[in-house]
Amino acid sequence: MPLKHSFPPVAAPDARLLVLGSLPGDRSLAAQRYYAHPQNQFWQLMSPVVGCDLTVLDYDDRLAALRVARVALWDVIGSARRAGSTDAAIADIEGNDLPALIATLPDLRAIGFNGSTALKYGRKLLGPDFADAQIVALPSSSPLHTVGLAAKLPAWTALAGFLDDRD
């Protein structure tokens, strides 16, 4: 199985929300873009969170809109072997250094995990030091998670509450 690597994080120091996926799929790796598969619902799900339609923007503008909204983006898995794009096929996992990234985000309020694989491995990487962190388990945006967009939307839309200006 080929060794696949995640992308660098998209994060500004003022981020209030960190959204973590598992590992980019083959379409994303080929395009060198987060959530590049046309059937992945990530950009649709994040649009109401950040208050603009991310689906109509080009990729760089999507990332800029996330930064402006104070959302950071990364993956739990730094590298792994995997045939195809399914999380079930992931093996030989090396995690990303999540604690190091989080240490650079002093305004962080919550960590959202995009799908059960991201949650499972992310919790292990964070360990007991982050037991009190606001963790949000999100239904996967992947086209392989066949629950419809309408069923996924409430959990994702709730992330907007971590971005408001309360302090």
Side-chain angles (χ1 to χ4, degrees):
M1 287 190 292
L3 184 65
K4 300 177 181 182
H5 299 274
S6 68
F7 306 131
V10 174
D14 67 344
R16 292 182 175 174
L17 171 66
L18 172 60
V19 179
L20 296 167
S22 55
L23 180 70
D26 287 345
R27 288 259 184 108
S28 293
L29 291 169
Q32 286 296 290
R33 296 179 175 195
Y34 281 102
Y35 303 103
H37 193 290
Q39 292 175 334
N40 192 295
Q41 298 169 328
F42 178 81
W43 300 110
Q44 289 171 281
L45 292 164
M46 283 301 296
S47 290
V49 176
V50 301
C52 74
D53 186 356
L54 297 169
T55 66
V56 300
L57 302 177
D58 68 29
Y59 182 70
D60 290 336
D61 290 337
R62 288 176 180 183
L63 296 183
L66 291 180
R67 283 189 203 98
V68 166
R70 301 178 78 174
V71 176
L73 181 63
W74 204 20
D75 287 304
V76 169
I77 298 170
S79 67
R81 296 199 179 279
R82 178 176 66 191
S85 296
T86 180
D87 283 355
I90 293 174
D92 300 327
I93 292 170
E94 290 289 329
N96 276 322
D97 192 348
L98 301 182
L101 175 64
I102 291 167
T104 69
L105 306 174
D107 297 334
L108 190 67
R109 295 179 175 168
I111 303 167
F113 288 96
N114 184 357
S116 60
T117 300
L119 178 64
K120 175 184 172 184
Y121 290 106
R123 282 282 218 190
K124 288 179 185 176
L125 290 169
L126 292 177
D129 292 341
F130 294 90
D132 294 333
Q134 180 66 47
I135 302 295
V136 182
L138 299 164
S140 176
S141 66
S142 168
L144 297 175
H145 186 61
T146 57
V147 173
L149 180 68
K152 296 176 185 181
L153 204 51
W156 282 82
T157 303
L159 295 174
F162 297 108
L163 301 175
D164 67 25
D165 287 329
R166 67 174 167 78
D167 281 323

